[in-house]
Every structure is written in C-alpha cells, then in structure tokens.
C-alpha cells in the first residue's frame, strides 16, 4: 500500500509531485521518491527516513533541475523488500530510461524475475515492482509504444496494481493502469495528472476521472485516452468532487487526529441529515436497492476491518434487536477464504471508511460472486467499494486524514443504526412511535458528543496520572463490548501500549489471571440494561488490584464507589452509547500518546488505507 502521483506537461512538476506526496503520506511513509523525465534523461531521488521520508525527499530535491515538465512520485508502505532507499520507487529498467511507480503487489514477481534475469536483466532492488520496468523495457525494444508496452506487460502480471510508467524516449507521456489499487486521473489546460486519490491533485486539476480495473490510460499535456487491457477504447467516468483544500488541512489543530475527534458532532449530524420524509419514512437517496428487496432480506452479514469492524459489531446488536434479522459480523480478511455460505436473501454490508480496503473489497466481491446483494457503507464518494456494490450509503464524515480512525467510526454507527431502523420500518418489527422515539434519540447524539468533547480536561487529568502504565484492558457488555474493542484499538495504535478489548463477562474465563496491581481496566458502564452486571465485573478486577477507569453516564450514582477514575458522558438509549462513549476513550488514547511523545497522526507500521491483503 503506497501513494502514487504523476504529472505531465507542467511548469511546476517538482512542486506538484512533492506537495502531492505530502498529501499521500497517510498511505505509507517508509520511503519516498520521484523521477523527473525529459528527452533522453531521467533524474531520480529517493529517501528512506521512515515518517520523515517525504520531508527528506524535499531536502534532497533542493537542487533538482526545474525545467522538467513531467514526472512521477511515490510514497511507500513496504511489502516486498525492506524500507530502504534501493527498494524505494521509482524503479528503473536496465537502460535507466523506463521509470515506474506502483501501489499493490505483483503476485507472480518471483517467476517473472527469474525469467528476466535469465534473459540478462539486472535488478537493483528486491521489490516485486521492478519486474514491470524490465518487462516494459523488453517490449519497448520490440518497437511497441509506451501504452502498448505497458498494456502487454500487464497481461503477464498477476496481482494488484496502480501503476505509472514513463520512458525518457517518449518524455511527454505517462502510462498509468489499475487493477484493484485505487487510481484517479485529473486534467487542467495543458496538464494531466494521476494520483492514488483526489486530495493529492485537488488544487491542481480542474476535472477528475475514475480509472476502473484493467484500464490503461495514456496521459499527455493535451489530455488522456484510455483503453482496456486488450487495447479497446474505454471512457473514464468523471467524478463529482465537492471538497475544497481546507478540508484536507488541519484547520488550526495540532494534528489531524484532534481535528477529526472534534469534528465528530458534525460527522454524525451530516450523516443523519435529510434521511427522513415528512411521513416518517427513512430514506437513503443513494441506496439503489428497492424496498421490496430489503423486505425479502433473511440474513445480514457485515464485513469490515479494524475500526469499521467495530462499527459493524455495534450494528449487529441494532439490526437484531430492532429488525429481528439474524446478523453475522465477519472479519473481511477471513470471510473470503472460508467458503462462506450465501443463502437466498442474504444481504452483505461492506463497511469501509476509505472504500479502498482490499480485504473488504475482496470479501464483498466474494459475496457478490456467491449471489449476495451488497450494500457499501463508505465515507468516500465513488470509492471502489461504493462503485462495485449494488447500493451504497455514504457516511458524511468528511475527509479523514489521521491514520487512527475517529469520526468515521461515529458516522458509520449512525448510518448503520439508521439502516437498522429502516429495516425495522419495512419489516414492521417496531411500531411507528417506537421508531419515532429512537430517531429522536439518534438526532440528539450529535449534541451529546459535543458535551462529551467539552469534558476533555477530565480525560487529560486522568491521562497525566497514567503515563507510566503499560497494560490496559477495555471491558464492556452488549454494545459496550465493541466500544471497548475500539477503545483498546485506539490506545494500542497511537500509544504503542499493550491494550486488549474484552467482553466483560468473558474476563473470568481466562484473562482475569492477568489482572494485578499496575494493570489499568477501562470499563464502559453506560448501558442501563447491563449496569449491575458490569459493576460486578468492575468489582472483580478491583479485588485483584487493577486501577479502574469507568466511562459512566451522568446520572450513575453508584460508579464513584467502585472506580478509581470516572469519565462522565450524557445518558442516551443503550444502542446509541458507542457514539458517545468512544469520545473519552479516543481522548484518553490521544492524551496518553501526546504525553508519551508519539506521532498521533502517523503511528509506526500503519497506513491509512490498506490496499494490500
Ligand atoms: C484504526 C483504523 C483501521 C481502519 C481499517 C479499515 O484506527 O483506522 O483499523 O479502520 O484499516 O479501514 P477502512 O474503514 O478504510 O476500510
């Protein structure tokens, strides 16, 4: 998983590439590199400085020639080959004329490398990508133009790619292609661009186009033309982009994570906006599945990864309780490979902030192959998942840049719970007044999140006392359980401390053996229906010496007697609590991470969008 960018025909080639790479860093930052190309010459710079790779590349390019009008750039999240400069992209062929950048994995690279080596090609990296440079080199030597050479090279390749290739003997051309990994093309008068996503070229291009799987695009200063892998012309679909650049910047916050945590009331508000007709019917304009089809659903399967998986786990409770449908939640990377059963009437919901997570896309493809109807819950309009699904519901959280997902989670829960209510409405498993009451509660969540955010000082005060701690357990029951999982995930990914999320009732079946003085237990206690049970679990860990932090409702008068620290949140219907309870847990992780000097936006070893399996 990496970020790619390219520009052809520009007076500001270097600036465009460096700025684009800065915006793509969230996709990976083990190393970075660019190649500038003009007739007969390729100028290349590469750095491998971990999270500082793009900054180091900017320095390295201080004396770069300014008169190159075309180039490509890459920021890498290492898969094949260590994060070292020689494995950084762009990679070159033997002549040094063909330069290539790639996001994805070439699965048959070993066999291709073997063949190419036998024919005398010399490799300078251990990446899977470099084989494509040498394949293109051979095809160019046979007289194919760059478009055809790349196309024929890709016919030999198995795996996933968003790729861009240049050749110094055809310097005003970039050929780009896609299979699975994301790729967009942009145009402005006299200049063409490509990138892994729109923000990288947002303020340069004036029109944006989506490239689909197995399409190859030839970009030049005059524009682009696209073909399929057989060479037949195809039309790229123009994207409607309504972001401005400011949405992609920090807006006065220290980092994207704190900005995005603060944006959560808006994320929920916008996601719920305009979803109800005057007669009370819940509507999703973008949901292209008929009411009749939804009525005929017999089983729901949710597939997702990471934070989105936790949102999906919350949805299981809501759909089962309100719509009385049986729901399974699957880890997307497991679903595809375990020969899943898809019966008639199975609705599969793929939940993904980016809509580009390859595990989730592959899981929904598998479900479609087996006959399921697929609904995507995506935060990115026209994402791959959204395009491929039979229907989509967009969360409207706005662009999420920080690697640790926050506002996308609350927006996903809001969208999924609204869908659960729609299913209940269609199946008549709740009365009109019950639905009205729940919708009323749902519309209050945005304000309640704002209240939880205003108590940030309480969380900071707890965090300063815990900087020495190393072991955390997050426990909860019912929807407090996925909330606990999400709280633990936030803590581990940005503080690098050991944290586990557990169903509180499961502790006594093993993990209780790990509880001793020094261990911190964070208990989600807001579910009124489960209150007594969770208090018993808190007592169990207290008795074994744990320090307990409770997330508790404002009106909970018992909690003070059992917890060491209490983080208060507004009272709401139990099903809505994850959207509020997660706020102090996000703030706790954030505050501890800052206290420990971590880079909250760019945690080590992680990337924002995971486009490799
Ligand atoms: C955690 C996090 C990841 C993502 C996961 C799925 O903070 O961000 O666990 O939730 O990689 O990403 P999407 O939702 O884009 O499919």
């Amino acid at each position: 998983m990496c970020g790619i960018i390219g520009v052809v025909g520009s007076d500001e080639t270097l600036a465009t590439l460096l700025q684009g790479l800065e915006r793509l860093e969230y996709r990976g930052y083990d190393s970075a590199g660019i190649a500038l190309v003009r007739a007969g010459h390729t100028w290349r710079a590469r750095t491998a400085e971990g999270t500082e790779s793009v900054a180091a590349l900017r320095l390295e390019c201080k004396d770069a020639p300014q008169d190159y009008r075309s180039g490509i750039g890459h920021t890498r999240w290492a898969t094949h080959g260590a994060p070292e400069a020689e494995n950084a992209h762009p990679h070159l062929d033997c002549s040094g004329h063909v330069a290539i950048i790639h996001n994805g994995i070439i699965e048959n690279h070993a066999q291709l490398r073997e063949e190419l080596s036998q024919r005398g090609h010399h490799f300078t990296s251990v990446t899977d990508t470099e084989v494509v440079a040498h394949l293109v080199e051979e095809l160019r030597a046979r007289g194919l133009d760059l478009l055809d050479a790349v196309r024929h090279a890709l016919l030999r390749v198995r795996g996933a790619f968003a790729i861009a290739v240049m050749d110094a003997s055809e310097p005003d051309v970039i050929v780009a292609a896609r299979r699975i990994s994301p790729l967009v093309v942009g145009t402005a008068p006299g200049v063409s661009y490509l990138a892994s996503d729109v923000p990288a070229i947002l303020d340069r291009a004036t029109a944006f186009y989506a490239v689909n799987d197995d399409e190859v695009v030839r970009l030049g200063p005059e524009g682009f033309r696209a073909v399929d892998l057989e060479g037949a012309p195809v039309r790229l679909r123009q994207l409607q982009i309504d972001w401005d650049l400011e949405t992609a910047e920090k807006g006065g916050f220290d980092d994207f994570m704190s900005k995005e945590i603060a944006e959560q009331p808006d994320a929920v508000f916008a996601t719920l906006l305009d979803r109800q007709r005057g007669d009370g019917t819940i509507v999703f304009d973008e949901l292209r599945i008929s009411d009749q089809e939804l009525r005929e659903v017999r089983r729901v399967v949710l597939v997702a990864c990471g934070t989105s998986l936790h949102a999906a786990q919350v949805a299981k409770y809501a759909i089962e309780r309100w719509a009385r449908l049986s729901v399974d939640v699957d880890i997307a990377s497991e679903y595809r490979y375990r020969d899943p059963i898809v019966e008639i009437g199975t609705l599969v919901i793929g939940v993904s902030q980016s809509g580009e997570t390859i595990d989730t896309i592959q899981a929904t493809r598998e479900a479609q192959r087996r006959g399921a109807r697929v609904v995507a819950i995506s935060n990115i309009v026209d994402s791959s998942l959204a395009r491929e699904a039979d229907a989509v519901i967009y969360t409207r959280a706005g662009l999420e840049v920080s690697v640790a997902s926050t506002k996308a989670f609350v927006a996903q829960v809001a969208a999924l719970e609204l869908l659960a209510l729609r299913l209940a409405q269609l199946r008549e498993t709740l009365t009109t007044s019950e639905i009205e009451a729940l919708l009323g509660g749902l519309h209050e969540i945005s304000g309640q999140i704002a209240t939880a955010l205003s108590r940030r000082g309480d969380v900071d005060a707890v965090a300063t006392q815990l900087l020495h701690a190393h072991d955390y357990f997050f426990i909860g029951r019912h929807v407090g359980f996925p909330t606990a999982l999400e709280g633990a995930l936030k803590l581990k990914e940005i503080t690098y401390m050991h944290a586990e999320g557990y169903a509180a009732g499961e502790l006594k079946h093993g993990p209780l053996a790990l509880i001793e003085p020094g261990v911190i237990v964070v208990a989600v206690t807001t579910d009124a229906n489960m209150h007594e049970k969770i208090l018993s679990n808190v007592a169990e860990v207290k008795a074994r010496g744990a320090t307990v932090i409770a997330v508790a409702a404002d009106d909970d008068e018992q909690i003070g007697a059992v917890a060491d620290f209490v983080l208060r949140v507004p009272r709401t219907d139990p099903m809505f609590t994850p959207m509020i309870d997660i706020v102090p847990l996000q703030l706790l992780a954030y505050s501890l991470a800052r206290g420990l000097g971590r880079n909250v936006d760019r945690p080590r070893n992680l990337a924002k969008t995971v486009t490799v399996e």
Side-chain angles (χ1 to χ4, degrees), residues 536-555:
S536 305
N537 300 133
V538 168
E540 284 158 17
V541 296
K542 267 309 286 174
R544 282 148 184 98
T547 299
V548 174
I549 305 171
V551 175
D554 280 335
D555 58 2

Side-chain angles (χ1 to χ4, degrees), residues 482-504:
T483 308
L485 291 175
E486 177 57 11
L489 179 63
K490 287 288 89 74
L491 192 90
K492 67 184 110 181
E493 65 182 330
I494 62 167
T495 68
Y496 316 151
M497 291 300 150
H498 170 248
E500 285 188 53
Y502 249 92

Side-chain angles (χ1 to χ4, degrees), residues 452-464:
L453 284 168
S454 70
R455 299 175 183 169
R456 182 181 194 134
D458 300 346
V459 183
D460 289 342
V462 174
T464 48

Side-chain angles (χ1 to χ4, degrees), residues 281-592:
T281 309
I282 298 166
V283 283
F284 299 96
D285 284 342
E286 64 276 36
L287 191 69
R288 303 176 296 259
I289 285 185
S290 71
D291 288 353
Q292 190 49 35
E293 281 175 284
L294 285 179
R295 262 189 216 103
E296 284 165 8
V297 169
R298 291 291 162 264
R299 178 172 167 244
V300 174
V301 177
L302 291 132
V303 290
C305 307
T307 291
S308 300
L309 181 71
H310 301 149
Q313 284 169 319
V314 174
K316 173 183 167 72
Y317 291 86
I319 298 171
E320 286 188 343
R321 170 152 318 160
W322 294 335
R324 306 308 299 151
L325 275 166
S326 152
V327 181
D328 290 315
V329 182
D330 256 287
I331 297 171
S333 55
E334 290 295 316
Y335 180 81
R336 179 182 173 208
Y337 294 106
R338 66 166 175 71
D339 203 6
I341 296 167
V342 175
E343 295 143 333
I344 292 172
T346 301
L347 179 71
V348 171
I349 306 178
V351 188
S352 172
Q353 185 283 129
S354 60
E356 303 295 347
T357 299
I358 194 64
D359 288 326
T360 308
I361 291 175
Q362 296 289 30
T364 52
R365 281 183 186 161
E366 183 62 29
Q368 276 176 321
R369 253 195 303 274
R370 289 170 186 254
R373 298 283 273 157
V374 169
V375 174
I377 306 284
S378 171
N379 195 39
I380 302 291
V381 175
D382 274 331
S383 64
S384 301
L385 184 69
R387 288 202 304 272
E388 289 185 20
D390 299 297
V392 57
I393 297 173
Y394 288 116
T395 49
R396 301 175 187 144
L399 196 65
E400 193 178 66
V401 175
S402 176
V403 167
S405 185
T406 52
K407 61 178 179 171
F409 173 77
V410 292
Q412 285 167 341
V413 173
L416 285 162
E417 294 204 331
L418 199 62
L419 178 61
L421 287 174
R422 178 63 186 142
L423 289 168
Q425 211 164 42
L426 287 165
R427 293 166 56 78
E428 299 179 12
T429 45
L430 291 178
T431 64
T432 307
S433 55
E434 282 169 331
I435 291 176
E436 272 311 310
L438 286 164
L439 283 170
L442 196 50
H443 284 287
E444 281 175 27
I445 297 299
S446 173
Q448 290 174 317
I449 293 175
T451 305
L453 284 168
S454 70
R455 299 175 183 169
R456 182 181 194 134
D458 300 346
V459 183
D460 289 342
V462 174
T464 48
Q465 296 186 55
L466 296 180
L467 282 176
H468 61 281
H470 293 285
D471 272 318
Y472 289 81
F473 278 83
F474 286 69
I475 60 170
R477 281 174 173 262
H478 193 256
V479 288
F481 169 41
T483 308
L485 291 175
E486 177 57 11
L489 179 63
K490 287 288 89 74
L491 192 90
K492 67 184 110 181
E493 65 182 330
I494 62 167
T495 68
Y496 316 151
M497 291 300 150
H498 170 248
E500 285 188 53
Y502 249 92
E506 186 68 7
L507 269 191
K508 58 184 177 292
H509 298 291
L512 204 55
L514 294 171
I515 304 296
E516 60 184 1
V519 174
I520 312 294
V521 174
V522 183
V524 180
T525 69
T526 50
D527 184 339
N529 301 328
M530 304 301 295
H531 196 240
E532 273 180 22
K533 298 263 181 237
I534 189 90
L535 286 196
S536 305
N537 300 133
V538 168
E540 284 158 17
V541 296
K542 267 309 286 174
R544 282 148 184 98
T547 299
V548 174
I549 305 171
V551 175
D554 280 335
D555 58 2
D556 184 341
E557 288 169 3
Q558 290 163 279
I559 197 72
V562 287
D564 298 282
F565 303 102
V566 181
L567 300 173
R568 295 282 178 181
V569 289
R571 167 75 71 201
T572 180
D573 183 279
M575 208 64 90
F576 302 145
T577 54
M579 291 178 277
I580 302 176
D581 295 353
I582 197 59
V583 172
L585 302 187
Q586 293 164 341
L587 291 172
L588 181 68
Y590 177 85
S591 190
L592 285 167

Side-chain angles (χ1 to χ4, degrees), residues 198-242:
V198 170
I201 50 174
L202 187 63
D203 55 348
R204 305 268 175 187
T206 49
F208 303 86
Y209 301 83
V211 181
N212 291 314
D213 279 355
D214 291 334
E215 290 177 347
V216 189
V217 190
R218 179 192 187 280
L219 296 99
E222 71 293 345
F224 66 85
R225 70 186 167 87
V227 296
D228 64 18
L229 279 183
E230 303 308 319
V234 290
R235 276 177 72 88
L236 301 191
R237 195 165 50 85
Q238 188 163 358
L239 298 169
Q240 298 307 318
I241 301 298
D242 54 8

